[in-house]
Amino acid sequence: MRTLLTTLLVVCCLSVWAQDDLPDRWQRYLDQTGNLEDMENAGWESLQETLSELAEHPFDINTASREDLSQLPFLTAKEVEDIVAFVYQYGPLKSAGELAMIRSLSYEKRQLLLCFIFIGKEQEKGFPKWENILKYGKHTVTATAKIPFYKRQGDDNGYLGYPYRHNLRYAFGYGNAFKAGLVGAQDAGEPFFANRNKTGYDFYSFYAVARNMGRLKTLALGRYRASFAHGLVMNTDFQLGKLGMLSNLGRNQNQLRAHSSTMQANYLQGAAATVEIAKGLDATAFVSWRYIDATLNDSGRIQTIRTDGYHRTENEMAHKNNASQFCGGTHLGYFAKGFHAGLTATYSQLDRDLQPATTAIYRNYYASGNNFWNASVDYGYTGARLTVSGETATGSCGALATLNTLSWKPMDEITLMAVQRFYSKRYYSLFSESFSEGGRVQNESGIYLGATWQPMRRLQILAYSDYAYFPWPRYQASEASHAWDHLMQMTWMPGNWKVGMRYRLKRRETNNDDKSALVWKNEHRGRLSAEYDGSTWSTHTQGELSYSKTAEKSFGWMVSEQLQLKGKWGKGKWSAAASIAYFHTDDYDSRLYTYERGLLYGFNFPMFYGEGIRYWFLGKADFSSRLSLTAKIGTTNYFDRSTIGSSYQQVNHSAVTDLEVQVRVKI
């Protein structure tokens, strides 16, 4: 039966190829620009939620400012400037086809841009009147629930709540000028209106953001995210990976954004504002105070700041809000004739001393104490062919961190890029998040070389090579170590087709079995995908290979097929999608990820290892422009085990099935 199933799946994959519809295209972008480490980073989930929010509330490109366009992470600094200059010079766009006249925008960038913008017929000058905002603003309520058809060990003994995950979102917005909302979220196993969650949900986020109010460019109240320069000092937002770096060419991220996510970490709470002091000179100030989750040691000091947001057991609940954190700071930025420079300064304080456990040598230089300051300068130039940018930071740690990027376009079809970084082993910032191989802005130096070649209009080839050196021991490497990472990717888009190929080789030094020496761990990963987008149906076929070798060898492969149908009835429309995937890996080292269509704001990149099959069905009905219903049911069936998971998460069965339901109401 298993052989027959595999054969049918392969035949299906070879005979039907496709591309998903426009609203799904930006999620394909994440799939194409993500590596294994990206998918396993919580920031990647934050990026997906942010892009979901932007796609649900597109802005008018004819009135968009530089700051508005900078919210889109795939645009380079040059592309942002060219879009603003084009609208200013030639007047409002009448159709999306005019984007082809902006030479710096590739075909794929234009297709991505259409997911987040619309072409407005009339331009509204300045900030709209508040009476118009209240009268014409849009209210949206989204309720989502996930229902498991299985029982975990903790559901009977261990978890404080029931096994259902659900959240409720309310958003009010008027274009890109004003947005406010409230989010309530509950993880499976957490108590609801019980225990320490007396007010209902385990997590709430409330926010309000106004933009383009004359000299007041941005005002954020409640819970928000802040990102400046390259994130060496302050970045509570997401960080693109190595392929994403090629996509936006290392563009600076100077912005304030609402925290409209269910993520329970890496946000600020209070107020922030960006003001135009003079032409080209902006000043941002922010202040934040909030409770944080922390693991305390026997002396009552903070051993670990927790960011997973789980409060399912008595032990996890004991970590909730048992410390507080204050943070304040400023950023000054100047931009004129392609040149930009900035200064960032922050101060943060914890109400308890941070004292990480240093029994593991790689934690010796982790942040400690309760008062921290950091400061940095950023700089750069954006020209027609050459773009440079960088940031250099220090702080109370007394150490240095610097990141510098250079991109050069010798001809229209080719872009070359280099990224240099040096992060001292003694440098730290509680709010830093930037380009790295080791996942931290600490204990790393390296050089990244990348290239983009577009030999014809719908053919793009990307490649990079990244070398990193870690002078101090790190996790799973008990002495100084090295890492090499190489990748090549090709995307061909003839007509409605889209064919992609990718190969990646990653080498890094890690401990041998008895930790007496370092050995090289080599990982090979390959992907072949093909898509076709029709007017009423589309499909996506993908095959992946994974091979890992240290002392042991691990091999894995997966083949998947997704099919979508769509149509209309009366004033409504509907769509249905289904997928089947077979995976077979030797162990966790050869694990694989695949993209799945999912509910809005959901993280749709599940991971698989072992042997099994994954299949799901998703249906969406837009009954009108105001009401929609989406449901997805999916099953993962393992052939190589009788239990799934471990500890409280263990399921005493070889298959798990989940139902997700989402209702959206717009007023």
Side-chain angles (χ1 to χ4, degrees):
M1 177 64 184
R2 190 182 310 172
T3 304
L4 175 61
L5 184 60
T6 304
T7 304
L8 289 174
L9 179 60
V10 172
V11 171
C12 178
C13 292
L14 292 176
S15 61
V16 187
W17 293 349
Q19 177 177 326
D20 290 323
D21 55 353
L22 179 64
D24 189 51
R25 189 171 292 138
W26 65 264
Q27 297 196 42
R28 289 288 180 206
Y29 163 75
L30 289 185
D31 189 35
Q32 293 168 8
T33 58
N35 284 329
L36 180 68
E37 294 79 6
D38 298 322
M39 304 302 183
E40 296 177 345
N41 190 323
W44 205 249
E45 186 171 354
S46 174
L47 171 58
Q48 179 165 354
E49 289 205 7
T50 298
L51 291 178
S52 294
E53 185 73 23
L54 290 172
E56 278 296 296
H57 302 91
F59 53 83
D60 185 353
I61 194 170
N62 287 324
T63 60
S65 64
R66 180 188 297 113
E67 290 74 20
D68 296 333
L69 291 167
S70 294
Q71 295 180 78
L72 303 176
F74 53 83
L75 292 178
T76 69
K78 173 65 174 172
E79 290 164 349
V80 169
E81 293 303 316
D82 285 353
I83 293 171
V84 173
F86 184 87
V87 175
Y88 177 79
Q89 183 174 356
Y90 298 105
L93 274 69
K94 303 299 183 182
S95 68
E98 294 181 62
L99 291 172
M101 299 174 66
I102 303 175
R103 293 184 60 186
S104 61
L105 284 178
S106 66
Y107 171 80
E108 188 172 25
K109 289 287 185 76
R110 295 198 301 272
Q111 297 305 304
L112 278 171
L113 189 59
L114 292 176
C115 300
F116 304 98
I117 66 165
F118 65 92
I119 310 296
K121 295 183 179 180
E122 297 181 3
Q123 296 193 60
E124 187 172 7
K125 301 296 184 180
F127 189 76
K129 296 180 180 179
W130 282 106
E131 51 264 37
N132 288 339
I133 292 177
L134 296 175
K135 182 177 180 180
Y136 299 110
K138 304 295 184 181
H139 303 263
T140 304
V141 178
T142 306
T144 307
K146 183 175 183 179
I147 304 167
F149 292 100
Y150 50 87
K151 185 173 290 187
R152 290 160 291 207
Q153 295 276 67
D155 294 332
D156 288 329
N157 184 19
Y159 290 153
L160 301 174
Y162 45 73
Y164 311 113
R165 179 180 180 180
H166 55 94
N167 60 71
L168 183 66
R169 300 170 183 260
Y170 164 75
F172 172 78
Y174 185 90
N176 201 44
F178 182 77
K179 180 169 64 174
L182 175 67
V183 178
Q186 193 82 13
D187 288 310
E190 294 177 338
F192 188 57
F193 282 109
N195 202 283
R196 291 176 62 182
N197 295 338
K198 302 297 185 182
T199 58
Y201 282 107
D202 179 72
F203 172 76
Y204 288 98
S205 182
F206 46 92
Y207 59 88
V209 175
R211 298 184 184 276
N212 304 320
M213 302 174 66
R215 288 189 176 274
L216 181 58
K217 288 189 169 183
T218 307
L219 174 64
L221 301 174
R223 293 184 171 175
Y224 62 93
R225 294 172 179 259
S227 176
F228 304 116
H230 288 286
L232 301 189
V233 168
M234 172 61 67
N235 182 10
T236 60
D237 218 335
F238 53 80
Q239 172 67 34
L240 291 179
K242 296 177 182 178
L243 271 174
M245 178 68 79
L246 270 179
S247 178
N248 70 7
L249 298 181
R251 191 193 73 205
N252 278 15
Q253 301 283 339
N254 297 325
Q255 57 189 354
L256 301 173
R257 192 197 304 274
H259 181 62
S260 55
S261 166
T262 60
M263 300 291 292
Q264 301 184 33
N266 299 326
Y267 64 85
L268 302 174
Q269 178 175 278
T274 298
V275 179
E276 183 183 32
I277 299 176
K279 185 177 180 180
L281 179 62
D282 294 343
T284 299
F286 60 93
V287 63
S288 168
W289 183 90
R290 73 181 188 92
Y291 286 112
I292 58 174
D293 291 1
T295 302
L296 306 181
N297 58 25
D298 294 338
S299 61
R301 294 181 173 89
I302 300 173
Q303 182 170 301
T304 306
I305 296 176
R306 297 178 62 92
T307 59
D308 56 25
Y310 288 132
H311 307 114
R312 302 163 298 183
T313 65
E314 291 288 357
N315 186 48
E316 290 175 348
M317 188 63 77
H319 300 145
K320 184 176 182 178
N321 295 342
N322 57 4
S324 66
Q325 182 181 63
F326 168 83
C327 179
T330 186
H331 174 80
L332 292 175
Y334 178 72
F335 186 96
K337 297 181 179 180
F339 292 92
H340 64 86
L343 172 66
T344 305
T346 65
Y347 172 78
S348 58
Q349 184 179 52
L350 300 170
D351 68 334
R352 299 173 183 264
D353 280 347
L354 179 60
Q355 188 181 66
T358 56
T359 51
I361 189 173
Y362 66 86
R363 295 196 186 103
N364 276 14
Y365 291 100
Y366 279 19
S368 61
N370 66 353
N371 291 279
F372 310 91
W373 67 265
N374 289 91
S376 73
V377 292
D378 60 271
Y379 35 83
Y381 168 75
T382 301
R385 297 286 184 181
L386 180 69
T387 299
V388 296
S389 67
E391 182 181 14
T392 300
T394 187
S396 52
C397 56
L400 191 72
T402 184
L403 182 144
N404 300 278
T405 75
L406 181 150
S407 65
W408 177 46
K409 202 175 183 71
M411 56 186 71
D412 289 344
E413 299 80 13
I414 297 177
T415 302
L416 305 176
M417 184 178 186
V419 181
Q420 172 271 333
R421 75 267 193 195
F422 168 77
Y423 308 145
S424 169
K425 66 183 180 182
R426 295 185 292 109
Y427 178 81
Y428 53 75
S429 168
L430 297 185
F431 300 97
S432 62
E433 178 74 23
S434 190
F435 181 86
S436 69
E437 166 64 29
R440 301 174 63 89
V441 183
Q442 187 180 53
N443 184 37
E444 179 176 333
S445 59
I447 186 72
Y448 167 98
L449 301 175
T452 302
W453 179 33
Q454 194 155 3
M456 58 184 68
R457 179 169 172 262
R458 296 197 175 190
L459 176 63
Q460 184 183 69
I461 299 173
L462 305 175
Y464 72 72
S465 180
D466 182 52
Y467 165 78
Y469 172 64
F470 312 98
W472 187 255
R474 58 195 293 258
Y475 180 63
Q476 294 185 337
S478 55
E479 56 186 273
S481 59
H482 305 77
W484 280 94
D485 188 8
H486 315 276
L487 183 142
M488 178 173 287
Q489 176 174 291
M490 185 194 79
T491 305
W492 181 39
M493 295 166 285
N496 291 337
W497 293 78
K498 186 173 184 180
V499 180
M501 293 183 289
R502 176 193 291 186
Y503 169 71
R504 184 190 188 194
L505 168 61
K506 183 171 184 178
R507 307 182 71 232
R508 66 180 185 273
E509 289 182 302
T510 185
N511 289 328
N512 61 8
D513 290 340
D514 61 4
K515 300 183 180 180
S516 60
L518 296 181
V519 296
W520 283 101
K521 181 176 183 178
N522 301 303
E523 294 182 355
H524 302 261
R525 295 184 178 273
R527 172 189 293 181
L528 177 63
S529 64
E531 311 172 34
Y532 175 79
D533 186 16
S535 59
T536 58
W537 67 277
S538 59
T539 63
H540 175 84
T541 301
Q542 184 165 291
E544 296 210 36
L545 296 174
S546 174
Y547 175 69
S548 176
K549 180 182 178 182
T550 47
E552 303 287 337
K553 298 179 181 179
S554 180
F555 177 76
W557 64 280
M558 176 168 57
V559 61
S560 62
E561 176 67 36
Q562 294 188 34
L563 171 67
Q564 179 185 349
L565 302 173
K566 49 193 173 183
K568 296 182 179 180
W569 77 77
K571 295 184 179 180
K573 57 183 179 179
W574 62 270
S575 65
S579 174
I580 186 170
Y582 174 79
F583 56 91
H584 191 297
T585 78
D586 293 337
D587 53 34
Y588 182 77
D589 282 347
S590 53
R591 63 197 180 279
L592 294 163
Y593 283 83
T594 185
Y595 163 71
E596 290 186 0
R597 288 185 63 87
L599 278 57
L600 186 63
Y601 306 115
F603 189 63
N604 306 318
F605 297 89
M607 179 268 292
F608 304 102
Y609 71 95
E611 183 185 7
I613 188 169
R614 167 71 176 173
Y615 48 94
W616 55 265
F617 174 81
L618 182 146
K620 180 179 180 182
D622 293 321
F623 300 102
S624 67
S625 60
R626 297 180 180 273
L627 176 63
S628 66
L629 172 66
T630 308
K632 177 181 178 180
I633 187 166
T635 297
T636 306
N637 191 353
Y638 291 93
F639 303 148
D640 61 342
R641 67 195 73 172
S642 58
T643 63
I644 302 172
S646 60
S647 187
Y648 289 143
Q649 288 290 96
Q650 181 173 313
V651 178
N652 295 320
H653 201 276
S654 61
V656 290
T657 299
D658 292 279
L659 172 66
E660 297 176 88
V661 180
Q662 186 174 81
V663 178
R664 287 175 57 78
V665 179
K666 297 181 180 180
I667 304 173

